[in-house]
Amino acid sequence: MIKPQYSFLTSSFSNGLAMVSLSQSKGTKKGDRELSSLYIDKKNRNVFGRKFDLGSAFENGVATVYRKEKTWHINTKGEMIRPIEMLEGQDVRQFMNRIKNSTASIKSNRFIICEGMSYGFIDRSGTKIVPCKFDAVRPYRGGRAAVRVGEKWGILALDGSVVADPSFAYIRDYFGGLCAFFEKGKWGYLNAKGEVAIKPRFTMAWDFHNGWARIVANGRYFFINAQGKRLHIKGYQFAGDFYGALAPVMNDGEFWYIKKDGKKAFERKFDLALAFTSHGLAPVYLNGKWGVVNHRGQVILVTANPPTIKEGVIRCRPKDRDMYHFWNSQGKPLVQFKRDNTTHYSDGWIKHLSRSRISYYSTKGKLMLRVPRAKRPSMGFSKNQDIGGAMGDMFGRLVRDGVEGDFHEGLAIHITEDDRWGYFDKKGRMVIKPRFDSAEPYFDGVAEVNLADDHKGYVNREGKLIWKSETPSIVEFNLPSAIFGGVKKEPSRIGDGEEATDDTSKDK
């Protein structure tokens, strides 16, 4: 038995370890508190001897942690590993979005629903395709969805029929017609019919991308094709996925990129090389500096901090004390800001977030839209505040700053001062009146919302509720769930009458 001594049990025991959170005094100011997390075993020992800012439960021997503004995977020995999924330098918002599965299945017209603690699927009209009868489900990928009954995973087709009975220890998502599965300590692959295509014989296995999947065997990384044939017989100490035509690999501490025939893409090597984006750009690290390379190996930009790349637009700080700048895929500057406020690239526009308003710019720097923001309380722990309430306030503020005003499919979330959530379009018109407790971005024409009576629902682009849960939401506390919490009228405009100016220096 472990005596009550922690502020939170952030995750239940998995792989013999659990994450707990502690609230501790911060600095010299009375009442200031900070929250840190650590992993304990069933004897209540801090097994890694270190603390993290955030972290997830262990799954198949791997957990995701956020520490000192970097995101990593760790194994059950506490060793930090750097597969390509764990980009260094992600901010908290990116970390949250990574560990939270989207409820929207990519372009499949299937959306996850929950009744009590059971899960199913609806389509875009709100019609129930799969009744809520599973203990866990994941979004559809490649026309298939992984579902769990008890401790075993199975596979569903789009019409809800069973492709494979829940009999596997774990199943990944379908990519390229195959999915990795875990059974009796080894990984293999299933085809779209749920049949074993590649027998389980690997220590680790990931998704197929552009015809190749990376696996670990005998402590080395390899690439295999759909027939299980290896690309390179000797393997690597580390390898990333083939996002695009190139993949990063590493031996003896040096990273480089290879083509799908296993040959070097170019001669240049790096201290760290990450995956290429769909626009042919990749973040790299060499001699103490970050940069961005194209598929020819040309360094088009050198930065002081890890760059983020989205839709071919690069966001970074050229020097340590610089503000965030935006650059195009040729390394030419697009927009620079005088104040270091929260900035993101979203749906073709650059979002600039300040305390009082949100401004949007084209990639040529033209002001496209400006909308007011409601006042927000400051973050932090006060002396007499309940730790649960303080943690909720902190995560709530981070979530708001992360999702507020981000455009997806032409609509962005607006949050009022009394914490009602709605949506506005790219003309600043309030197309869906703020009436929700919280809301998610639109994906595939539908958005998930939380209703005032603790029920969950989905709304279409007109704001019509297409589905509402029959029972209030019941969610066991864990890190992802704690973080995320008819007649069409002419819409009103946010901040009607306020004239937009092109002077970013006025942003506070």
Side-chain angles (χ1 to χ4, degrees), residues 364-384:
K364 294 183 178 180
K366 181 181 178 182
L367 179 67
M368 306 300 292
L369 177 67
R370 179 168 284 156
V371 298
R373 293 186 77 199
K375 294 181 180 179
R376 296 281 178 268
S378 60
M379 284 195 297
F381 297 96
S382 62
K383 179 180 179 181
N384 298 319

Side-chain angles (χ1 to χ4, degrees), residues 179-414:
C179 77
F181 74 97
F182 185 71
E183 192 64 46
K184 296 181 180 179
K186 295 292 182 181
W187 287 86
Y189 287 87
L190 303 173
N191 61 21
K193 296 180 181 180
E195 303 166 337
V196 175
I198 302 174
K199 294 181 180 180
R201 60 180 186 270
F202 309 121
T203 306
M204 287 290 291
W206 287 269
D207 304 323
F208 273 85
H209 294 283
N210 292 295
W212 296 94
R214 61 194 173 104
I215 59 94
V216 174
N218 299 320
R220 303 280 290 179
Y221 282 77
F222 299 89
F223 293 97
I224 61 169
N225 62 17
Q227 290 73 46
K229 183 180 178 181
R230 292 181 183 180
L231 172 64
H232 194 284
I233 195 65
K234 293 183 179 180
Y236 309 94
Q237 290 176 327
F238 168 76
D241 289 315
F242 272 105
Y243 291 128
L246 306 180
V249 295
M250 185 271 283
N251 272 331
D252 299 324
E254 290 186 320
F255 284 77
W256 67 94
Y257 290 93
I258 62 170
K259 298 182 290 186
K260 287 192 283 186
D261 59 4
K263 297 179 181 179
K264 284 184 180 180
F266 40 81
E267 289 299 320
R268 188 186 293 269
K269 293 185 178 182
F270 309 94
D271 297 330
L272 177 65
L274 304 180
F276 269 85
T277 67
S278 58
H279 286 74
L281 301 174
V284 294
Y285 186 75
L286 181 63
N287 298 328
K289 291 187 177 294
W290 285 89
V292 178
V293 297
N294 60 24
H295 64 278
R296 293 186 294 273
Q298 298 168 330
V299 178
I300 65 169
L301 190 64
V302 176
T303 74
N305 301 91
T308 57
I309 306 170
K310 186 176 181 181
E311 298 175 27
V313 174
I314 306 164
R315 173 181 177 260
C316 65
R317 299 180 191 222
K319 297 179 182 179
D320 276 326
R321 296 189 178 183
D322 277 354
M323 304 299 103
Y324 277 110
H325 295 183
F326 288 83
W327 313 74
N328 66 14
S329 57
Q330 285 76 47
K332 295 180 180 180
L334 297 174
V335 183
Q336 301 176 8
F337 294 100
K338 296 180 181 179
R339 293 178 182 267
D340 193 16
N341 296 21
T342 304
T343 54
H344 296 288
Y345 184 75
S346 150
D347 212 12
W349 284 359
I350 294 170
K351 182 185 79 170
H352 188 244
L353 193 69
S354 72
R355 289 184 179 180
S356 60
R357 59 193 178 188
I358 309 173
S359 303
Y360 298 90
Y361 298 86
S362 71
T363 54
K364 294 183 178 180
K366 181 181 178 182
L367 179 67
M368 306 300 292
L369 177 67
R370 179 168 284 156
V371 298
R373 293 186 77 199
K375 294 181 180 179
R376 296 281 178 268
S378 60
M379 284 195 297
F381 297 96
S382 62
K383 179 180 179 181
N384 298 319
Q385 187 177 20
D386 171 72
I387 183 64
M391 188 175 182
D393 289 347
M394 180 184 71
F395 282 137
R397 173 68 179 274
L398 291 171
V399 170
R400 286 180 177 86
D401 285 352
V403 302
E404 185 181 10
D406 266 14
F407 276 101
H408 290 266
E409 300 184 1
L411 296 178
I413 293 172
H414 176 70

